[in-house]
Amino acid sequence: MGAENRAKYSTTHMAPRNNPSLLRPHPSSLSGALNGCLGCLDGPCIEKLLLHCAAALEANDITVAQQVMWVLNNVASANGDPNQRLTVWFLRALIARASHLCPTALPFALDGSSQSSRRPMTVTELAGYIDLTPWHRFGFSVANRAILQAVQGHRKVHIVDFSVTHCMQWPTLIDELAKRPQGPPVSLRITVPSAHPPVPPSLNIATEEVGLRLMNFAKLRNIPLEFKVLKTNSPGNSLSFRQQLVTTPLDPSSLGLQDDEALIVNCHNWLRYLSGDSQGNDDNTRDSSSKDGFLEFIHGLNPTVVTMTDEDADLDTPSLSSRIMGCFNYLWILFDALETSFPKECPERTGYEANVGQKIENIIRFEGSQRIERSESGARFAQRMRRAGFGGVLFDEETARGVRVLLSEHASGWGMKREEDMLVLTWKGHSSVFTSAWVPKVIS
């Protein structure tokens, strides 16, 4: 998605994603960064400035970087249009990165109104947050439909849930299981890991409390639910998310698998927080902290079905300039979608944007193991799944109809398309979130 189209809010055209003039800016002067932009600081020009600043930082040229950031500071506005609001968070990330080079070289202050309180949400607030857009609900709907189809005829169901949404997916599935023509399952188990990526949304209650509430909800639907949290061996929170996975790798024996259960593995915005397997530093481990190692572990469980939902964007590259271009083009989707549906000073909108801003900071500010945001496109994930010995499951028309009903509850810009074995959530025709379902194949 090109920035030219964002400036026009186009619903039908797409510009080339790899513009050589944007990918190779020259960090020589402020005039070079502003060439062609004066009087027209729209999306394309903001992107050009961001890339020029990235090139300056990569060349350790703090003088040019400071000049460009000064211009961006005069463009950014926490209450402006989507491009201006997005610029606020890119500028914050660039300043944070530049501060490592020269902590005293950035004399200007940012608009403080955009800072997130990082306050954990109540369950009610989290439900409202998820309902703001179909960003999460889309994956819930598609994955739940695949799960319902996979467990037909099974009286016992075990869900191993790798998700950042605190089990918000499961009340709807429990409702659907309770209404099955063959009757609800006689046993439902949900297992979640205690290790959790340090990303929003955060919840103000413990995972065990979430489990108790789910069990009470399931009891009202006449479904006996067992909820288990897989504990790590790390003391407190002294280890990072990835360190916890390395220290206490996933162990099939800890899951208590049973032969008469339908085993479901659900991954919702999870794999992007695992390390890649070809990054050239600490990412060459093949345990459950790496993407390929995790998929090998999952394949070894021989699950009935695996559901995968994640953001459809390639934001995992060593090049800062490439990450900035991909990030600016992709995350504009959320800022534009929120502009369509909410007032400029809406607190819920501001909080949602602040959570996206945390993602931007991690993608731009950090390198190596500190950069935990490593999104890959649905196509790249599909390649990983096939290499790991999985085959794709096609979604039927009933699943697509359910998604269309869900999208009718949101702004008209949201849509859906099929790409190979995936269903993809779109905003004004641009891919945002993918969901796919997989079954293990026998590896000869």
Side-chain angles (χ1 to χ4, degrees):
M1 176 175 58
E4 294 85 352
N5 298 322
R6 296 198 313 275
K8 299 177 182 178
Y9 302 104
S10 168
T11 63
T12 57
H13 297 92
M14 295 186 70
R17 296 183 66 89
N18 297 316
N19 186 331
S21 65
L22 293 179
L23 285 172
R24 293 191 296 272
H26 300 286
S28 57
S29 66
L30 180 60
S31 61
L34 291 174
N35 184 29
C37 287
L38 290 176
C40 183
L41 287 174
D42 55 8
C45 287
I46 292 172
E47 185 177 18
K48 184 175 182 180
L49 287 165
L50 289 171
L51 291 170
H52 199 92
C53 186
L57 291 174
E58 288 180 312
N60 293 329
D61 190 338
I62 193 64
T63 300
V64 170
Q66 180 184 357
Q67 291 173 336
V68 179
M69 284 189 280
W70 182 86
V71 177
L72 288 169
N73 188 50
N74 285 277
V75 175
S77 171
N79 294 314
D81 65 29
N83 285 322
Q84 292 174 308
R85 297 168 80 104
L86 186 57
T87 302
V88 168
W89 295 104
F90 275 85
L91 184 55
R92 287 181 183 278
L94 289 167
I95 289 174
R97 187 178 179 108
S99 66
H100 293 290
L101 297 176
C102 186
T104 61
L106 304 167
F108 52 83
L110 284 166
D111 179 1
S113 64
S114 296
Q115 293 204 17
S116 169
S117 64
R118 305 287 188 242
R119 178 181 64 84
M121 298 180 183
T122 66
V123 172
T124 301
E125 289 171 334
L126 178 59
Y129 172 87
I130 286 175
D131 284 343
L132 279 177
T133 74
W135 203 262
H136 292 294
R137 295 184 68 202
F138 167 82
F140 292 175
S141 176
V142 178
N144 282 352
R145 176 63 185 170
I147 293 169
L148 286 168
Q149 291 178 332
V151 301
Q152 285 183 5
H154 290 271
R155 303 181 71 240
K156 295 184 177 181
V157 179
H158 184 185
I159 299 171
V160 181
D161 184 28
F162 299 95
S163 171
V164 300
T165 53
H166 307 284
C167 296
M168 294 297 291
Q169 179 174 344
W170 305 128
T172 302
L173 180 70
I174 291 170
D175 262 338
E176 293 297 324
L177 287 171
K179 296 183 291 187
R180 291 196 312 181
Q182 69 268 37
V186 299
S187 170
L188 174 62
R189 294 201 291 153
I190 297 177
T191 301
V192 302
S194 62
H196 194 275
V199 297
S202 60
L203 201 57
N204 70 343
I205 61 174
T207 305
E208 289 80 2
E209 175 64 23
V210 172
L212 287 174
R213 297 189 184 195
L214 270 181
M215 286 190 288
N216 289 333
F217 180 84
K219 185 176 181 181
L220 294 174
R221 271 65 178 174
N222 296 315
I223 297 178
L225 170 62
E226 176 187 339
F227 188 89
K228 180 179 180 180
V229 180
L230 292 178
K231 294 291 187 179
T232 66
N233 293 329
S234 59
N237 295 319
S238 59
L239 297 181
S240 70
F241 167 63
R242 286 185 187 158
Q243 287 174 324
Q244 290 182 57
L245 293 181
V246 172
T247 304
T248 311
L250 296 170
D251 181 3
S253 64
S254 66
L255 298 175
L257 303 181
Q258 300 175 16
D259 292 337
D260 58 347
E261 289 181 324
L263 177 62
I264 309 301
V265 178
N266 180 74
C267 301
H268 188 100
N269 290 6
W270 186 266
L271 260 72
R272 73 168 176 265
Y273 298 113
L274 304 181
S275 61
D277 294 295
S278 59
Q279 301 301 316
N281 42 40
D282 61 342
D283 293 335
N284 291 319
T285 56
R286 295 299 293 267
D287 53 35
S288 55
S289 69
S290 69
K291 291 184 174 78
D292 288 343
F294 176 81
L295 295 180
E296 290 175 5
F297 165 78
I298 296 303
H299 189 278
L301 300 178
N302 193 31
T304 306
V305 73
V306 179
T307 53
M308 289 280 177
T309 297
D310 220 307
E311 297 178 350
D312 197 9
D314 279 316
L315 303 179
D316 184 16
T317 171
S319 166
L320 176 62
S321 296
S322 295
R323 290 206 303 273
I324 282 182
M325 186 175 72
C327 195
F328 190 75
N329 283 327
Y330 177 71
L331 293 177
W332 166 86
I333 292 173
L334 271 173
F335 279 73
D336 188 45
L338 293 170
E339 171 82 0
T340 303
S341 304
F342 301 95
K344 293 186 181 298
E345 298 184 9
C346 171
E348 292 82 6
R349 174 182 177 179
T350 302
Y352 206 117
E353 291 175 342
N355 287 342
V356 179
Q358 182 174 330
K359 178 198 302 287
I360 293 169
E361 179 176 3
N362 186 264
I363 291 172
I364 293 175
R365 178 179 179 179
F366 297 111
E367 301 293 345
S369 60
Q370 288 184 295
R371 179 161 55 83
I372 64 170
E373 290 280 351
R374 295 181 178 273
S375 295
E376 295 180 350
S377 67
R380 287 182 64 188
F381 267 136
Q383 291 174 353
R384 285 188 184 274
M385 294 299 289
R386 294 188 180 99
R387 286 200 307 267
F390 291 92
V393 177
L394 292 175
F395 295 107
D396 61 14
E397 182 54 33
E398 185 175 350
T399 302
R401 281 197 299 269
V403 172
R404 285 192 282 268
V405 170
L406 181 153
L407 296 181
S408 69
E409 303 171 8
H410 295 276
S412 59
W414 293 106
M416 178 197 67
K417 65 181 178 181
R418 293 181 183 270
E419 287 189 356
E420 297 183 352
D421 298 334
M422 301 181 294
L423 289 184
V424 181
L425 176 69
T426 63
W427 173 251
K428 297 183 177 180
H430 305 300
S431 299
S432 59
V433 175
F434 72 86
T435 299
S436 55
W438 304 84
V439 293
K441 298 163 64 177
V442 177
I443 301 178
S444 57

